[in-house]
Amino acid sequence: MSESKTYPPSHAFASRANVSGMEAYREMYARARHDPGRFWGDLAHSELSWFTQPLKTLEWDPPFAKWFSGGRINACYNCVDRHLTDGRKAKPAILWEGEPAGDQRSITYEELHHLVTRFANALRHLGLRVNDRVIIYMPMIPELAVAMLACARLGIIHSVVFGGFSAEALRARIQDLDARLVITADGGWRRGKEVRLKAAVDEALEGLAHVRNVVVYRRTGSAIDMKNGRDIWWHDAEAAAASTPATTDPCEPAKLDAEHPLYVLYTSGTTGKPKGILHTTAGYLLQTSMSMKWVFDLKEDDIFWCTADIGWVTGHSYIVYGPLCAGATVVMYEGAPDYPAYDRFWSIVEKYRVTIFYTSPTAIRALIRQGNKWPEAHNLSTLRLLGSVGEPINPAAWEWYYKVIGKERCPVVDTWWQTETGAIMIAPIPGAVPQKPGSATLPLPGIFPDVVDARGEPVEDNKEGYLIIHWPWPSMARTIWKDPERFKEQYWSRVPGAYFTGDAARRDSDGYYWILGRVDDVMNVSGHRLSTMEVESALVHHPAVAEAAVVAKPHEITGQAVCAFVTLKKGDYNTEQLREELRQWVAHEIGAFARPEEIRFTEALPKTRSGKIMRRLLREIVTTHSVTGDITTLEDMSVVSALAAQHEED
Ligand code: WT7
């Protein structure tokens, strides 16, 4: 392993930073290590607004944690109401840019309060109560955040489904949660086309009786079907509430338990069935807002832009809850990074004077390919900090980001975390920790990772192993919805007492973490998590498919791409046509982002004698184009040579 370059924080940055210098970081880390309960307890007291202060910091009955027991709190109050009296009333909370030219809105904290309470009243008027579940399937418009915060205000558990998911995927989530209500829009804009969300909701709801209402926000104005008695326009729901004495303003925030469920977010695991990750209130708010101050060095006048979709955890934590809890101004953008041209990101940075910019390595690589003329055409001088998330960032992309976008002035924070961790776990605190391109660097205070072998024993420096985390942290997932056993088994059983991340990593002699990718059947395509089984089960639903095995193959832009090996049932096929049909089929079953890049038809799949598909071999074929590993347990070795040979022909 060659010596990697190190970028210490500049004096100019460090001297003004919230956490300045390595000593400050080390002191904080040591203090948290010495007494994690006290460390987090003190922060919870000083950073969050409580109706009733907690009695205990942590109750730990592994793997189930309760943080800040006895405390009464409301996430919406912390993200909105309290900023009306802390000097931020007239400060913009959300600067929104729609995809179509000229579409923009600026929403102050006071206006956000108005929007949220009005919509919360509409939810009450529709009969929703604390602990009910609501699905939100919306484009990236302010009302998406408004809907989340209105739920949080009432103690209703929201589950945002990314607008890129298909009707099928939406339906599965609605069912698993036994949701009462779906909040959607007629559509949203993406790359100049309308994403027809309401039509997908109609398809998803066919035959589902437990969904009583669908609230529809008018975004695109296109024609949609409104089902009588079930569907109601957002503005009509608000008007109905406003004319009923019981549901007029002010809608007081519910005084909820610190552990009250805030949301469920589905993510892919190792099986075909996505897991409903449950996050609760106080610990999640604390850690997401603390990371705004530590990792993003948030200051009062910053303009913070996280380019993720709110449908993923990154958007939950770093567009909505973290920044708003910390009283920041966020930029929110509806559409695609390359529409109408490759400089859309940079024109938004310039227009809104963005100071902190947070995006994915896939977006960076895609923009590198278009050349420097796009960023160079814009004034990016307001930027002072850059972030990366979702997948490993290769050093070349890191360097480009640092030089061409940050002009060698802005630290780059590579942030490692997961849907399950709720907030950033490993990342450089930019005024303190020197950065090394490609490394997420050091854990945040209160986070105690390790790299271990299969027996759970720590491995030596620079050796590859499993990344685990000792000790609970406030924003950790509390369980999998309706499946605490799976929670225990998936995350807390491999290494007893520790959290198993599913990632491989190595730690260098400076204690820096280098994330190497997943060790399970989870793929990472453009920073979007996808399970091999999910794509396989979509494929085998197709009438022509007998069997399917899916693996990730390396991809220059998206990090990984989906590659499917498919065997067909007997019949005559036009394979070119079928290949395209199957790709579309997967897009329809899961979502466009899951569409396989490549489909290879084969006579048979390599299996062990017990009938398990040997994905390791297939992975090797698509990665190295040959097979070297142990194949003595293969049922039919000829299958492997045929597959390898097929590649030679390609
Ligand atoms: C998986 C989690 C974190 C929010 C977005 C993704 C990979 C995430 C990094 C990083 C290398 C990373 C891991 C992780 N990952 N951030 N900075 N460097 N890998 O959340 O969908 O739950 O995916 O994304 O493999 O396990 P997610």
Side-chain angles (χ1 to χ4, degrees), residues 570-589:
K570 283 214 160 30
D572 272 339
Y573 304 104
N574 173 336
T575 48
E576 265 327 297
Q577 214 173 317
L578 186 61
R579 185 172 277 131
E580 208 31 53
E581 190 179 317
L582 291 179
R583 295 179 70 234
Q584 271 314 109
W585 178 268
V586 173
H588 181 260
E589 293 272 304

Side-chain angles (χ1 to χ4, degrees), residues 54 81 143 420 443 534 565 600:
D81 302 51
E143 280 66 24
E420 294 87 341
E534 236 172 312
F565 292 83
R600 297 196 193 181

